[in-house]
C-alpha cells in the first residue's frame, strides 16, 4: 500500500513540476539508458522505489548488516541514475526522501488502519473505483485526444495499479481471507503460481496487447489483481474444496 501511494505522490509531483531531464536540456549529454527515462525528471521514481523498498527491509529486519546493505543499495540506485544522465541531483535527493518517509512513517499509518480492517475495507472498493475511473479518463485523453503523454501516461498507469490493488484486496479480504501457509512446500507452491502469473502478464500479455497507454496500464493492473486477488482466491477455493471432499 505504501509503495502504490508513494508512486501516486511521485507521479503527481512529476506532472505538477514538469522538470525536463538533463539529456533533453543539454543535447551534448548522452543518456545511457533512455528507455528507463520516460516522463519528467522530478522526483526520481527509481530513487523513490529504492528508498521505500530497502528502508522497509531494514526497518522490519532490524539487523545491522542488513541495514548497512540496504543503505548501500539505496545509494547505488541513486548514483546509477545520475551516472546514466537520467536525473538531476535534486531529483534523486527528493526521491530518496519521499521513499524513506513513506517507509518510516506512512507505512505505520496504513498498518494502524489495517488493524481496524472492517472499517478500513469499506473505503477500498469506492476508492478503487475512483482510481480506475481517473485512469480511464487520463488514458483516453492521451491515446485519443492528444493529451501530454509525459504528464498523464505514468500517472494513469499508477492509478490503474492502485485501483486494482484496492479492489483486489477488498474482495480477497471480504470473501476469501487468504493466509500465508506455515509449511514451506505450500509456500513454494503458492509462490510458484504467483510467479507464473507474473511472467504471463509481464511477458506474454505484453506481446498480445496493443502498445498504448490504456493497455499498458491494463497489463500492470491485471498483474496486481492476480497477485493480490485472483491467485489468493484460487488457493482458498482449492483448499476449501479439498476440505469438503474429505
Amino acid at each position: 500500500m505504501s509503495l502504490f501511494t508513494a508512486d501516486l505522490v511521485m507521479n503527481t509531483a512529476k506532472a505538477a513540476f514538469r522538470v525536463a531531464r538533463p539529456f533533453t536540456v543539454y543535447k551534448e549529454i548522452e543518456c545511457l539508458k533512455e528507455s528507463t527515462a520516460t516522463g519528467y525528471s522530478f522526483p526520481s521514481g527509481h530513487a523513490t522505489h529504492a528508498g521505500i523498498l530497502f528502508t522497509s527491509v531494514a526497518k522490519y529486519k532490524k539487523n545491522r548488516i542488513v541495514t548497512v546493505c540496504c543503505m548501500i543499495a539505496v545509494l547505488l540506485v541513486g548514483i546509477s541514475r545520475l551516472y546514466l544522465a537520467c536525473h538531476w541531483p535534486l531529483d534523486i535527493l527528493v526521491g530518496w526522501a519521499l521513499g524513506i518517509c513513506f517507509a518510516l512513517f506512512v507505512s505505520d499509518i496504513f498498518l494502524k488502519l489495517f488493524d481496524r480492517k472492517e472499517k478500513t475495507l469499506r473505503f477500498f472498493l469506492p476508492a478503487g473505483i475512483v482510481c480506475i475511473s481517473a485512469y480511464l479518463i487520463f488514458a483516453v485523453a492521451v491515446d485519443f485526444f492528444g493529451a501530454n503523454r509525459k504528464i498523464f501516461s505514468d500517472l494513469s498507469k499508477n492509478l490503474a495499479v492502485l485501483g486494482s490493488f484496492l479492489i483486489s484486496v477488498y474482495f480477497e479480504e471480504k470473501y476469501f481471507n487468504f493466509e500465508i501457509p506455515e509449511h514451506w512446500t505450500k509456500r513454494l507452491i503458492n509462490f510458484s503460481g504467483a510467479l507464473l502469473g507474473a511472467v504471463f502478464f509481464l511477458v506474454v500479455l505484453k506481446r498480445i496487447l496493443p502498445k498504448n497507454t490504456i493497455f499498458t496500464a491494463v497489463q500492470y493492473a491485471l498483474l496486481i489483481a492476480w497477485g493480490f486477488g485472483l491467485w489468493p482466491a484460487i488457493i482458498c477455493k482449492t483448499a476449501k474444496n479439498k476440505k469438503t471432499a474429505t
Side-chain angles (χ1 to χ4, degrees):
M1 185 70 178
S2 297
L3 177 62
F4 299 137
T5 48
D7 253 359
L8 182 60
V9 172
M10 180 264 296
N11 280 314
T12 302
K14 283 179 180 286
F17 292 103
R18 305 182 190 183
V19 176
R21 294 182 183 272
F23 65 90
T24 63
V25 176
Y26 300 102
K27 299 302 180 183
E28 62 271 20
I29 295 178
E30 180 185 359
C31 180
L32 301 178
K33 199 70 174 176
E34 194 169 342
S35 61
T36 66
T38 59
Y40 288 105
S41 187
F42 175 88
S44 166
H46 286 76
T48 302
H49 295 156
I52 193 168
L53 175 62
F54 291 111
T55 304
S56 297
V57 172
K59 178 181 177 181
Y60 292 107
K61 284 295 182 182
K62 296 179 180 178
N63 179 284
R64 185 175 297 178
I65 295 176
V66 172
T67 299
V68 171
C69 290
C70 287
M71 290 173 63
I72 293 172
V74 171
L75 288 170
L76 288 176
V77 169
I79 292 170
S80 70
R81 299 304 288 171
L82 291 174
Y83 173 77
L84 294 171
C86 294
H87 287 286
W88 307 96
L90 185 60
D91 305 340
I92 303 299
L93 293 174
V94 174
W96 279 340
L98 180 62
I100 291 169
C101 284
F102 263 81
L104 292 179
F105 307 114
V106 179
S107 61
D108 290 337
I109 296 173
F110 287 134
L111 286 174
K112 289 179 180 177
L113 289 174
F114 273 103
D115 286 339
R116 297 178 292 176
K117 187 185 296 185
E118 291 185 3
K119 291 184 178 180
T120 303
L121 274 179
R122 71 177 67 173
F123 297 104
F124 272 41
L125 185 58
I129 292 172
V130 168
C131 288
I132 295 295
S133 301
Y135 138 70
L136 287 172
I137 292 170
F138 291 151
V140 168
V142 171
D143 287 340
F144 295 101
F145 297 99
N148 191 324
R149 186 173 297 275
K150 281 188 175 182
I151 296 176
F152 297 113
S153 182
D154 287 341
L155 184 59
S156 66
K157 182 171 70 176
N158 181 219
L159 286 165
V161 166
L162 180 58
S164 177
F165 170 78
L166 291 170
I167 293 171
S168 298
V169 171
Y170 172 82
F171 282 104
E172 188 277 316
E173 290 285 344
K174 190 173 179 64
Y175 297 106
F176 299 100
N177 199 21
F178 171 76
E179 293 182 359
I180 298 174
E182 294 182 3
H183 201 278
W184 70 269
T185 54
K186 290 184 178 181
R187 288 189 180 190
L188 182 61
I189 293 170
N190 293 355
F191 175 76
S192 299
L195 185 61
L196 286 173
V199 169
F200 173 77
F201 290 117
L202 291 177
V203 179
V204 178
L205 202 62
K206 186 177 182 179
R207 296 177 179 273
I208 299 173
L209 293 176
K211 291 177 174 57
N212 58 24
T213 304
I214 293 175
F215 286 103
T216 299
V218 166
Q219 175 192 347
Y220 287 98
L222 288 174
L223 172 63
I224 296 301
W226 171 258
F228 290 94
L230 294 174
W231 181 237
I234 291 171
I235 294 170
C236 292
K237 189 69 174 177
T238 303
K240 186 177 180 181
N241 289 340
K242 284 183 179 179
K243 287 182 179 179
T244 305
T246 56

